[in-house]
Amino acid sequence: MGFGTTVCGDVWRLPQSQLWACVEQCEKTGCVGETCFQHCKFSSDGKPVGGPWYLQEPLYLRWKQWDCHSDCRYHCMLVREEEREKHGGKPVKYHGKWPFHRAYGFQEPVSVALSALNLAIQFHGWVSFFILIYYKLPLTPSKKTYYEYTGLWHIYGILSMNLWFWSAVFHSRDVELTEKLDCSSAVALLGFSLILAVLRAFSMRDEAARVMVSAPIIAFVTTHILYLNFFNLDYGLNMKVCVAMGVAQLLIWAVWASATRHPSRFKLWVAVIGGGLAMLLEIYDFPPYQGYVDAHALWHATTIPLTYLWWSFAKDDAEFRTSSLLKKAK
C-alpha cells in the first residue's frame, strides 16, 4: 500500500515526495529536526559508529529492532502529521495503518496493554473451566467428563490465548512476520469458533457428524491462511472473510438463544449483541485519539468483559449438560 493524503477543503496537500525526501535526508544526517539517532551514523567503510545499532539502544528497547530506516520513517511521519494538523488536515494512514505515538518502545501501547489483559482474562476463563470440569463436576467411571463439548472448549481456549499473545506482539512491533502471525491466529480462532457454534447449537455429539461439519470449515480456513502467508496478504479480502465468519456464528448463537430454554440464555444474548456491536468498531475505523486510542484499541477493550461473560456461559453450559445427563442416567 502507498502513502495516502487527505485534503481539507483543497487548501493543502503534502506531496509524497516530501515524506520520502525527509526519510532519505534523515538516513544521511541521522536527524529529523532536532531529533537524532546514533544508529544512523556510519563510518567511511559503511559500518555503524559505536557498533551494531541494536547494541546502541537501551536494553529494554533492543528486542524491538528499531533501525535507522524505521526510526527515520516514524519521525518523518510525526513531522508530516504535525504539518498536516497546522494546515487543517486530518490524520491519514501510512501503509494502511494510522500514525501512532510510541511509548517505551511499544508501537501501539494501548492495544498492547489491552491485548495482554485479554490474554489474562482468557487464561483465567480457561483455567476456571478446567477446574470446574475435572475437579468440581462428577466424572464418568472411566474418569472422563459427562460434558460432550469439553475438548472443543479446550481448543477454543488455546486458540484464543494464542491470538491475544500474537496480538500483543504485533501491536508492540509491526513487522511482516508479526502481522502474518496475528492475522493467521485471528482467522484460525474465528474458523474454530464457527465450528463450535454449529456443533453446540445443533447438539452434534456424533463423531461422524462433527467431522462432516468441521472438515470443510477447516479446509477453507487453512487455505485462506496459506493464501495470506505465501501468496498475498490482502487486507480487504481478509476483512471480508473474518466478518463473514463472525456474523455467521453470531447469527447461529442468536437463533439458538431464541429457541432454547437454556438457563444461561440471557448471558448468551448479551454476548451475541455485545459481539455484534463490538464488530462495528472493526468495520467503522477512525484515527487514534491523541495518537494512542483508535477503533481497534476500543474493540480490544470491549472484548474483555465479553470474554469473561463468554467463559461464564461455557461453565454454566457444562453444569447444565452434566446435570441433565446425570438425571437421565438415574
Side-chain angles (χ1 to χ4, degrees):
M1 290 188 179
F3 287 100
T5 53
T6 301
V7 183
C8 185
D10 290 331
V11 198
W12 177 77
R13 182 192 298 268
L14 181 64
Q16 291 184 16
S17 57
Q18 290 187 24
L19 182 66
W20 290 117
C22 172
V23 175
E24 291 177 4
Q25 184 67 18
C26 169
E27 291 179 335
K28 292 177 182 177
T29 64
C31 298
V32 176
E34 297 181 355
T35 305
C36 298
F37 322 106
Q38 177 66 24
H39 49 258
C40 279
K41 297 179 180 179
F42 299 89
S43 60
S44 57
D45 58 358
K47 295 182 179 180
V49 175
W53 59 266
Y54 53 82
L55 295 180
Q56 300 168 20
E57 295 280 9
L59 184 60
Y60 72 93
L61 291 179
R62 289 180 188 174
W63 72 278
K64 300 293 181 186
Q65 296 188 4
W66 298 115
D67 57 10
C68 178
H69 179 74
S70 59
D71 266 336
C72 285
R73 193 168 68 170
Y74 169 72
H75 286 280
C76 284
M77 176 192 71
L78 293 184
V79 169
R80 185 188 187 194
E81 285 302 303
E82 289 175 3
E83 293 176 355
R84 292 180 62 81
E85 187 176 355
K86 289 178 183 177
H87 290 79
K90 296 181 180 180
V92 295
K93 290 187 176 182
Y94 296 81
H95 289 295
K97 305 179 192 306
W98 292 113
F100 285 89
H101 292 293
R102 295 180 193 168
Y104 301 102
F106 292 101
Q107 196 164 330
E108 299 176 37
V110 174
S111 289
V112 172
L114 292 173
S115 295
L117 190 52
N118 269 287
L119 174 59
I121 295 295
Q122 286 286 358
F123 180 74
H124 172 270
W126 177 61
V127 169
S128 62
F129 176 80
F130 184 91
I131 292 173
L132 172 71
I133 284 290
Y134 291 102
Y135 294 98
K136 294 183 178 181
L137 294 178
L139 300 174
T140 65
S142 58
K143 300 301 180 182
K144 294 182 179 180
T145 64
Y146 282 97
Y147 186 50
E148 313 98 317
Y149 308 97
T150 300
L152 295 175
W153 282 107
H154 284 324
I155 297 173
Y156 171 82
I158 293 170
L159 289 175
S160 297
M161 289 184 285
N162 175 71
L163 165 63
W164 289 114
F165 172 79
W166 288 117
S167 175
V169 173
F170 167 66
H171 289 299
S172 65
R173 182 68 171 99
D174 175 6
V175 295
E176 184 180 3
L177 176 61
T178 58
E179 184 174 26
K180 287 182 177 180
L181 286 168
D182 179 54
C183 287
S184 300
S185 300
V187 173
L189 177 60
L190 282 169
F192 186 79
S193 297
L194 180 57
I195 292 173
L196 176 61
V198 174
L199 298 186
R200 181 62 190 95
F202 291 95
S203 299
M204 291 186 177
R205 294 182 285 274
D206 181 68
E207 288 299 323
R210 289 187 174 192
V211 170
M212 289 179 64
V213 169
S214 303
I217 299 176
I218 292 173
F220 171 76
V221 169
T222 302
T223 302
H224 183 63
I225 290 174
L226 291 173
Y227 176 84
L228 293 176
N229 282 272
F230 300 106
F231 185 72
N232 180 25
L233 189 57
D234 189 326
Y235 300 102
L237 174 64
N238 188 54
M239 175 63 76
K240 292 175 183 177
V241 169
C242 289
V243 169
M245 290 194 293
V247 170
Q249 60 187 279
L250 287 176
L251 288 175
I252 291 171
W253 286 119
V255 171
W256 185 63
S258 62
T260 185
R261 291 190 172 275
H262 197 287
S264 294
R265 59 186 178 277
F266 175 74
K267 291 182 180 179
L268 185 57
W269 270 117
V270 174
V272 168
I273 295 172
L277 294 175
M279 192 179 295
L280 295 178
L281 291 171
E282 285 288 88
I283 299 173
Y284 299 103
D285 200 8
F286 58 80
Y289 177 73
Q290 297 295 319
Y292 292 104
V293 182
D294 67 336
H296 190 71
L298 289 180
W299 174 73
H300 283 343
T302 61
T303 55
I304 294 172
L306 291 176
T307 295
Y308 183 85
L309 184 66
W310 190 236
W311 277 111
S312 177
F313 165 75
K315 288 181 284 187
D316 289 350
D317 189 47
E319 291 180 333
F320 173 67
R321 286 298 305 159
T322 300
S323 175
S324 298
L325 291 170
L326 287 174
K327 286 178 181 179
K328 289 181 180 179
K330 291 181 180 179

